[in-house]
């Protein structure tokens, strides 16, 4: 029996983690704590919302009184912390929001855990979900390992790096049981279409320009979101206190090659002549401080916990495209309203 608070459970990765835990561990109680920002959507969890071991609580991790109250009433045994502002472009426009949620929000959770778990650190766990972007950027060679020095460049990655440091500080200073994982770029269902893959699928489908930053030569290491959720499950249950794991797909793609592949897949799926969708590719002004290359060395996770990705990128991408084509209503819902304003602002001057 365990009671776990999962923060950010209504977001992209969080919804996959919540679904996995609710389904696989009926003996656990899963509390999804989420503020429901523009990125949070309870429709992502429709299929499990009535499960007897699931509960949703709306709240802000920046609100310390609310967090303390929640800990007191629920007495959780563990936290899996995913709530964050997660989009680099938004962090360039509004860094302070990222400091508030990603840094202050994380420290609030650590403090609430510290107050409530004193004397119980052997029976509790604080799992912090982080990103490979804390390591900065790679040149043509090399990969990020768990011992690569932190070197963040965007306000987003700086805020995530800061929160990682706080989590380690609470382990070292107070003896709290913590684990951290740093994952590469995820893709899959329920991904908000401000990020590259869902944005490209959506725009290609709608015959709109597909914006490629700079020359499209930046490289990302893509991992299917359900493989990330499976890694989180494994690390949560098996990792040693204080440990860190890198999670990645061994799957590096130049943005332009990835977008061309999506165009080819969508030409086939939408019965368009070969090459039709690629005409939508539009090169736009580069992102400021744009990291060139991310690549994860996930050897530690493989050798210590036996994790490897379960599907190839080709399989995962096809599943993902099929999901977006079959879930137009979801896409229309999340792209209406405020997202329209964001999109106009973000791309009108590029
Ligand atoms: P997301 O933006 O899709 O979801 C974030 C969720 O957090 C949303 O449901 C939102 O409502 C919630 N949230 C935001 N601010 C909050 C607050 N103040 N209080 C409570 N809830 C709040 O993000 P994602 O892509 O699912 O990422 C989840 C986590 O994984 C983040 O910590 C991110 O840094 C990390 N991560 C993401 C990726 C990726 O490729 N997306 C890769 C590695 C790590
Ligand atoms: P993104 O999905 O925002 O993830 P991150 O910046 O966290 O890696 O972007 C992935 C890559 O795609 C990144 O190199 C920026 C680039 N990109 C574009 O070329 N065009 C776009 O419209 C977006 C959103 C991203």
């Amino acid at each position: 029996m365990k009671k776990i608070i999962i923060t950010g459970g209504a977001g992209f990765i969080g919804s996959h983690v919540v679904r996995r835990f609710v389904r696989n561990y009926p003996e656990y109680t899963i509390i999804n704590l989420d503020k429901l920002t523009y990125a949070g959507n309870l429709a992502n969890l429709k299929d499990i919302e009535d499960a007897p071991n699931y509960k949703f609580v709306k709240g802000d991790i920046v609100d310390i009184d609310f967090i303390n109250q929640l800990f007191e009433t629920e007495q959780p045994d563990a936290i899996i912390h995913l709530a964050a502002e997660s989009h680099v472009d938004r962090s360039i426009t509004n860094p302070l929001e990222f400091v508030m949620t990603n840094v202050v929000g994380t420290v609030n959770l650590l403090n609430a855990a510290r107050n409530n778990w004193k004397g119980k650190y052997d029976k509790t766990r604080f799992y912090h979900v982080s990103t490979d972007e804390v390591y900065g950027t790679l040149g043509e060679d090399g990969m990020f390992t768990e011992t690569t020095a932190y070197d963040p460049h965007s306000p987003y990655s700086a805020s995530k790096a800061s929160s990682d440091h706080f989590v380690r500080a609470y382990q070292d200073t107070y003896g709290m049981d913590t684990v951290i994982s740093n994952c590469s770029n995820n893709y899959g269902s329920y991904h908000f279409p401000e990020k590259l893959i869902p944005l490209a699928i959506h725009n290609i489908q709608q015959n709109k320009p597909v914006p490629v930053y700079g020359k499209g030569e930046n490289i990302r290491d893509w991992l299917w979101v359900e493989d990330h959720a499976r890694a989180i499950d494994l690390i949560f249950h098996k990792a040693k206190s204080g440990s860190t794991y890198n999670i990645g797909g061994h799957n590096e793609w130049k943005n332009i090659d990835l977008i061309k592949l999506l165009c080819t897949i969508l030409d086939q799926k939408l019965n368009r002549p070969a090459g039709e969708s690629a005409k939508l590719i539009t090169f736009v002004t580069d992102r400021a401080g744009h990291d060139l290359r991310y690549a994860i060395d996930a050897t530690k996770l493989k050798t210590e916990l036996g994790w490897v990705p379960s599907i190839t990128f080709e399989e995962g991408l096809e599943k993902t495209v099929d999901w977006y084509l079959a879930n137009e209503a979801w896409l229309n819902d999340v792209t209406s309203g405020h997202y329209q304003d964001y999109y106009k602002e973000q791309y009108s001057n590029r």
Side-chain angles (χ1 to χ4, degrees):
M1 296 289 282
K2 260 196 178 65
K3 197 182 260 190
I4 307 174
I5 294 179
I6 300 183
T7 71
F12 166 47
I13 302 170
S15 63
H16 286 279
V17 175
V18 166
R19 178 176 297 101
R20 183 178 177 94
F21 274 73
V22 166
R23 285 197 179 144
N24 289 6
Y25 303 102
E27 71 279 22
Y28 294 177
T29 301
I30 303 301
I31 300 172
N32 172 12
L33 161 59
D34 200 294
K35 183 180 172 184
L36 299 183
T37 67
Y38 77 94
N41 185 353
L42 288 177
N44 298 0
L45 290 164
K46 267 244 153 304
D47 51 333
I48 56 102
E49 68 186 3
D50 295 326
N53 63 335
Y54 170 72
K55 178 169 158 184
F56 171 68
V57 177
K58 186 170 188 295
D60 187 344
I61 58 169
V62 177
D63 180 348
I64 184 64
D65 294 335
F66 162 76
I67 294 297
N68 280 333
Q69 186 72 48
L70 184 71
F71 263 77
E72 264 161 45
T73 43
E74 296 292 355
Q75 297 289 320
D77 306 295
I79 299 186
I80 304 178
H81 175 37
L82 296 103
E85 286 294 334
S86 67
H87 190 40
V88 173
D89 292 326
R90 288 183 191 257
S91 82
I92 294 168
T93 311
N94 189 358
L96 196 56
E97 206 170 347
F98 283 66
V99 175
M100 293 312 290
T101 292
N102 299 0
V103 185
V104 177
T106 302
V107 176
N108 277 345
L109 290 169
L110 286 164
N111 280 338
R114 186 180 154 226
N115 291 337
N116 281 274
W117 290 348
K118 250 182 224 142
K120 291 198 289 187
Y121 289 151
D122 55 332
K123 294 189 196 68
T124 53
R125 169 151 280 190
F126 193 110
Y127 184 155
H128 180 58
V129 175
S130 192
T131 167
D132 61 353
E133 302 191 26
V134 299
Y135 298 122
T137 187
L138 293 163
E140 279 178 17
D141 306 316
M143 286 181 152
F144 299 133
T145 71
E146 288 78 2
T147 55
T148 302
Y150 277 30
D151 182 23
H153 297 127
S154 73
Y156 164 65
S157 54
S159 69
K160 291 297 291 187
S162 171
S163 60
D164 290 9
H165 290 318
F166 271 102
V167 173
R168 289 200 180 93
Y170 275 60
Q171 170 96 29
D172 295 341
T173 308
Y174 307 113
M176 190 182 282
D177 177 308
T178 69
V179 283
I180 299 178
S181 56
N182 297 84
C183 189
S184 62
N185 288 62
N186 285 212
Y187 70 96
S189 53
Y190 302 109
H191 202 182
F192 195 85
E194 64 184 353
K195 307 278 172 63
L196 181 67
I197 289 183
L199 185 139
I201 296 173
H202 185 51
N203 285 17
I204 294 168
Q205 187 198 7
Q206 306 244 317
N207 262 309
K208 284 191 193 153
V210 181
V212 177
Y213 296 170
K215 294 186 178 145
E217 287 184 344
N218 304 69
I219 293 171
R220 297 293 181 264
D221 176 355
W222 294 95
L223 178 70
W224 190 47
V225 63
E226 294 189 35
D227 278 331
H228 187 189
R230 187 166 52 83
I232 290 174
D233 182 348
L234 206 58
I235 293 167
F236 175 75
H237 287 102
K238 302 265 194 256
K240 275 198 215 113
S241 179
S243 58
T244 292
Y245 286 90
N246 280 356
I247 311 171
H250 261 294
N251 180 41
E252 293 180 50
W253 283 80
K254 260 190 197 168
N255 291 340
I256 187 66
D257 295 338
L258 168 55
I259 289 174
K260 283 183 181 162
L261 176 61
L262 280 174
C263 288
T264 306
I265 295 174
L266 278 150
D267 277 346
Q268 286 160 7
K269 302 261 177 206
L270 300 172
N271 293 318
R272 290 181 183 168
E276 184 73 9
S277 299
K279 292 182 190 154
L280 298 167
I281 293 174
T282 309
F283 292 94
V284 299
T285 309
D286 208 353
R287 173 187 279 170
H290 197 173
D291 286 336
L292 178 66
R293 175 172 166 254
Y294 302 146
I296 280 275
D297 179 347
T299 308
K300 182 179 175 195
L301 186 57
K302 182 179 175 187
T303 49
E304 290 188 6
L305 303 184
W307 178 94
V308 286
S310 69
I311 60 172
T312 65
F313 191 48
E314 286 67 23
E315 287 166 330
L317 212 51
E318 177 149 10
K319 267 181 198 275
T320 304
V321 170
D322 285 344
W323 187 87
Y324 280 97
L325 294 181
N327 286 277
E328 231 177 311
W330 181 91
L331 255 182
N332 290 339
D333 273 1
V334 298
T335 52
S336 59
H338 288 318
Y339 178 71
Q340 300 288 0
D341 301 334
Y342 162 81
Y343 196 86
K344 265 193 224 123
E345 200 181 309
Q346 194 55 230
Y347 292 97
S348 61
N349 300 320
R350 282 187 181 269

